[in-house]
Amino acid sequence: MEDLSGGISVLNAIAVMTSGGDSPGMNAAARAVVRTALYEGVKVFGIQNGYKGMLNDEIIELQRRSVSDLIQRGGTFLGTARCKEFKTEEGRRKGLDNLQKHGIEGLVIIGGDGSLTGGSLLSKMGGIPIVGLPGTIDNDVWGTDYTIGCDTAANTAVEAINKLRDTASAHKRIMVVEVMGHTSGWLAMVSGIASGAEYIIVPEVKYNIDEMCEEIVESYKKGRRYTIIVVAEGACSGVGLKNVVQEKTGIDTRVSILGHIQRGGSPTVEDRMKASQLGERAALAIISGVSNVVFGFDEGKVVSINLFDSVNNKKPLDPELVRLASVLV
Ligand code: ADP
């Protein structure tokens, strides 16, 4: 990959924003963008509340101290939002006008697939270079092994599953745990493997509920006290699955929908470090005039991915995870 460090800054002012679903580590990434740009003598603005804030001109200049006491916090200090108007060309034009009004010459967007798609459309209109950072707990952005927040979310899910196993075991219950992930099974797969779940149901892999229920009944006859079934929200609803499993097995079955708890919390060391590395690379790239790239990780190293390739492709679930689950689960 191209070495962008030490490049000469060609831009005088950039902006950073967070958009779409928040994820732990977005603050660490934005902080790194701000501090790197300031270190290089470039002015930095923060766009508050995603594309909505861009259209409403919620744009503030940031200083070094604006991002103090932040790396350990979940959420995003810039705020995030969803904005229908940005999906129209007129909306994006309004956003671009606001950026230009502040003298902003480059934009770093931290967000998921949707936010990066919005960024690619803004870029196509010309007028401003765009660099994206993948910020989502779903780990579903094409071209990168890692997205900011996925590690914290997986840790949160594993911690919850540990607790659910205790209570399931006490009552000889089956516990269905629904985890987030949008249409991707990554979060379910990783949290299922790491928590030692008995079954993991993800949208990318076919599963047979009848067979699973028969197996569970047999195992309870032999003295098993608990079964954890982790299901990705993109595969089927936890409540629906719980009803089917309860009916087919006749064993007391409960469901726990982990929900937004997976989005919050103080980021893990991995998320803080990776978000910081990505933020630095994004800032160095944008101030040296690079555009239309997303920075991510491939086999532990920071890589740049073409923005249009990233938003036009669907990331498959890592077959190595599927293989590992088939052996261990
Ligand atoms: P995420 O970035 O987490 O995937 P969303 O899919 O909700 O979250 O996208 C966040 C915002 O990005 C949307 O509210 C919208 O403003 C913008 N966006 C998403 N998809 C598009 C699109 N196809 N065209 C233009 N803007 C989009």
Side-chain angles (χ1 to χ4, degrees), residues 101-123:
K101 193 168 86 185
H102 291 275
I104 294 165
E105 298 168 335
L107 175 62
V108 176
I109 300 164
I110 307 167
D113 221 21
S115 303
L116 298 176
T117 300
S120 72
L121 294 173
L122 192 64
S123 172

Side-chain angles (χ1 to χ4, degrees), residues 178-191:
E178 183 189 299
V179 305
M180 282 183 160
H182 195 41
T183 60
S184 162
W186 183 88
L187 189 55
M189 202 46 119
V190 167
S191 50

Side-chain angles (χ1 to χ4, degrees), residues 19-21 51 81-84 86-87 92 111-115 117-118 121:
S19 168
Y51 292 122
R82 294 197 156 92
C83 174
K84 272 195 184 154
F86 194 76
K87 292 191 173 180
R92 292 193 291 278
D113 221 21
S115 303
T117 300
L121 294 173

Side-chain angles (χ1 to χ4, degrees), residues 188-269:
M189 202 46 119
V190 167
S191 50
I193 293 172
S195 63
E198 279 64 45
Y199 297 93
I200 307 171
I201 296 174
V202 295
E204 296 88 346
V205 180
K206 279 201 179 127
Y207 57 96
N208 184 326
I209 291 196
D210 288 336
E211 250 175 42
M212 178 180 81
C213 290
E214 283 163 22
E215 249 179 52
I216 294 173
V217 170
E218 283 310 307
S219 69
Y220 276 61
K221 277 186 196 157
K222 288 178 191 156
R224 181 162 199 91
R225 294 197 63 89
Y226 61 83
T227 297
I228 301 286
I229 306 171
V230 173
V231 59
E233 65 178 348
C236 65
S237 106
V239 174
L241 183 64
K242 175 238 159 211
N243 290 338
V244 172
V245 170
Q246 164 101 47
E247 199 195 308
K248 285 186 189 283
T249 61
I251 298 167
D252 190 11
T253 305
R254 301 297 165 101
V255 60
S256 179
I257 298 167
L258 299 188
H260 283 80
I261 195 160
Q262 296 158 100
R263 285 260 184 90
S266 180
T268 57
V269 172

